[in-house]
Amino acid sequence: MLIVMIVTLFATVALHQLPSVVALDVHLLPQLAAKHNVTTVIVFGDSSVDPGNNNFLNTDLKGNFPPYGGNFVNHKSTGRLCDGLLAPDFIAEAMGHPPIPAFLDPTLTQADLPRGASFASAGSGYDDLTANISNVWSFSTQARYFLHYKIHLSKLVGPLESSKMINNAIFLLSMGSNDFLQNYLVDFTRQKQFTVEQYIDFLSSRMIYDIKMLHRLGARRLVVVGVPPMGCMPLIKYLRGQKTCVNQLNQIAFSFNSRIVKNLELLQSEIGLKTIYVDAYSTIQEAIKTPRKFGFIEASKGCCGTGTYEYGETCKDMEVCKDPTKYVFWDAVHPTQRMYQIIVKKAIASISEDFLV
């Protein structure tokens, strides 16, 4: 069984600016964003930030059916693998915008373009093979569709204004877990080529390449999400027959996150890119160990079905828990809207005004 649609969980993390800076007042974000012309949010990644692009791809990795979307506007199953909004949606909300649309959403209008779009595809990763396994968009494909977005935006507002909007945009990059859980540890192609340490090196080099590509395409502000403690996901514990977190997988996540931090420091010095690292690992661990601190009562299983293995298609039409706001996980791999909301508030408070200048 392929362990697919594993998320990097953008919203279950705390943002940490690499330089030491004064934190931003959450309530000032709309004014400061407007002051510095930060009106656009551009998103790349996997199911943690895919608002429904996979609905229009020939893949089984979808969430456009109940009970997904039960807490979304009009209880609509948009393709978000959550009971409601994803983290980028809450960031857009804080900036005074509606939820971030999927680029392939047929309801996307010209008027929506200046606010941004998500090119993310559930099941994707830094390694193109990860996306190919599940027939979803690789990062390089996501970047190609971003070029289409830029063309449309340029026609709408003009080349000069379009370039300014892209340069002032906040770019989000959220992926990595699928590379290990769906690819390396399930499909044996990479295992035959690399040790775990060598695969981390490979992914690290791909990450640098991808970010430099985004920089060439106009990115000047970038938020990158680290991978979560993968061994604590309900599905992973179920497959390993454990009630506690799988330490081996958590160590892999920790090691890869250390490389992400070093990469961002390198990119800041080499190309002057403003970056923020999102520490998924530490905050998820804290929520799992002390759930009541965050207002949760259940952190070991998801809200859908038994909460131990159901996600995506296996969650379809399943019974759900009475109150998802008390759960860390919505299904066996993805967090609830409530978890996203809590962490995004924390994340926004950690952004400095310097990042927006």
Side-chain angles (χ1 to χ4, degrees):
M1 177 181 181
L2 286 180
I3 307 172
V4 291
M5 296 188 293
I6 304 296
V7 297
T8 46
L9 306 177
F10 175 82
T12 53
V13 297
L15 276 174
H16 296 282
Q17 185 102 23
L18 291 176
S20 177
V21 293
V22 178
L24 173 69
D25 186 328
V26 175
H27 302 292
L28 295 180
L29 181 61
Q31 299 95 308
L32 291 175
K35 174 184 176 182
H36 300 296
N37 299 313
V38 181
T39 60
T40 309
V41 180
I42 305 296
V43 184
F44 301 87
D46 59 16
S47 59
S48 59
V49 287
D50 178 3
N53 283 310
N54 275 20
N55 297 350
F56 310 98
L57 303 182
N58 184 25
T59 178
D60 293 331
L61 307 189
K62 305 178 192 290
N64 56 343
F65 43 76
Y68 290 103
N71 288 320
F72 197 77
V73 180
N74 298 323
H75 310 292
K76 183 178 181 181
S77 300
T78 61
R80 290 169 171 83
L81 287 153
C82 179
D83 60 312
L85 299 172
L86 300 176
D89 300 321
F90 282 115
I91 292 174
E93 181 182 84
M95 295 173 66
H97 300 329
I100 300 291
F103 184 66
L104 291 183
D105 187 340
T107 66
L108 183 69
T109 68
Q110 292 289 311
D112 295 325
L113 295 179
R115 294 190 292 268
S118 176
F119 303 86
S121 180
S124 192
Y126 290 108
D127 185 350
D128 280 0
L129 176 60
T130 303
N132 294 341
I133 289 171
S134 302
N135 197 34
V136 300
W137 278 0
S138 64
F139 175 83
S140 56
T141 301
Q142 294 180 34
R144 286 200 298 272
Y145 277 89
F146 173 59
L147 287 174
H148 290 289
Y149 169 88
K150 290 184 66 176
I151 292 171
H152 288 297
L153 185 63
S154 180
K155 289 180 179 178
L156 178 67
V157 301
L160 183 60
E161 183 63 23
S162 174
S163 293
K164 287 182 179 178
M165 293 179 71
I166 296 300
N167 289 159
N168 289 331
I170 293 177
F171 283 69
L172 304 178
L173 180 58
S174 178
M175 58 187 181
S177 294
N178 288 318
D179 291 311
F180 296 103
L181 298 177
Q182 174 185 326
N183 185 345
Y184 188 84
L185 298 174
V186 176
D187 183 273
F188 295 107
T189 302
R190 294 307 191 205
Q191 279 197 38
K192 293 177 181 178
Q193 297 173 329
F194 305 114
T195 63
V196 172
E197 292 76 15
Q198 289 170 338
Y199 191 55
I200 289 175
D201 289 342
F202 174 76
L203 293 179
S204 175
S205 66
R206 293 304 307 173
M207 175 193 172
I208 291 176
Y209 179 86
D210 292 344
I211 293 176
K212 286 184 175 180
M213 179 189 298
L214 291 181
H215 185 259
R216 291 194 298 271
L217 294 176
R220 298 296 179 265
R221 299 179 180 90
L222 179 67
V223 176
V224 177
V225 185
V227 298
M230 301 180 293
C232 294
M233 293 178 179
L235 175 63
I236 301 306
K237 293 188 294 182
Y238 171 80
L239 293 175
R240 290 295 184 96
Q242 294 187 202
K243 292 185 178 181
T244 57
C245 299
V246 181
N247 291 330
Q248 177 192 16
L249 295 180
N250 284 352
Q251 183 57 50
I252 291 174
F254 186 87
S255 298
F256 183 57
N257 286 336
S258 298
R259 294 299 298 272
I260 292 177
V261 172
K262 292 179 181 178
N263 286 348
L264 294 185
E265 292 173 345
L266 177 66
L267 289 163
Q268 281 185 344
S269 61
E270 278 193 358
I271 60 179
L273 186 67
K274 294 183 178 181
T275 64
I276 289 176
Y277 170 65
V278 183
D279 183 8
Y281 193 97
S282 299
T283 307
I284 296 172
Q285 283 274 46
E286 185 179 9
I288 291 171
K289 290 179 178 179
T290 57
R292 293 187 183 277
K293 176 180 178 181
F294 297 90
F296 300 117
I297 61 173
E298 180 56 71
S300 63
K301 62 181 181 180
C303 176
C304 180
T306 66
T308 58
Y309 68 88
E310 298 94 340
Y311 69 102
E313 285 287 339
T314 53
C315 184
K316 188 173 184 178
D317 297 324
M318 295 292 290
E319 293 290 329
V320 297
C321 63
K322 188 174 183 179
D323 187 359
T325 67
K326 301 300 182 182
Y327 280 61
V328 171
F329 292 99
W330 165 247
D331 59 20
V333 294
H334 302 101
T336 56
Q337 172 181 264
R338 178 60 178 158
M339 187 67 191
Y340 283 127
Q341 184 180 37
I342 291 171
I343 301 302
V344 167
K345 286 182 179 179
K346 190 175 181 181
I348 292 173
S350 300
I351 299 175
S352 73
E353 184 174 358
D354 291 343
F355 181 72
L356 300 175
V357 174

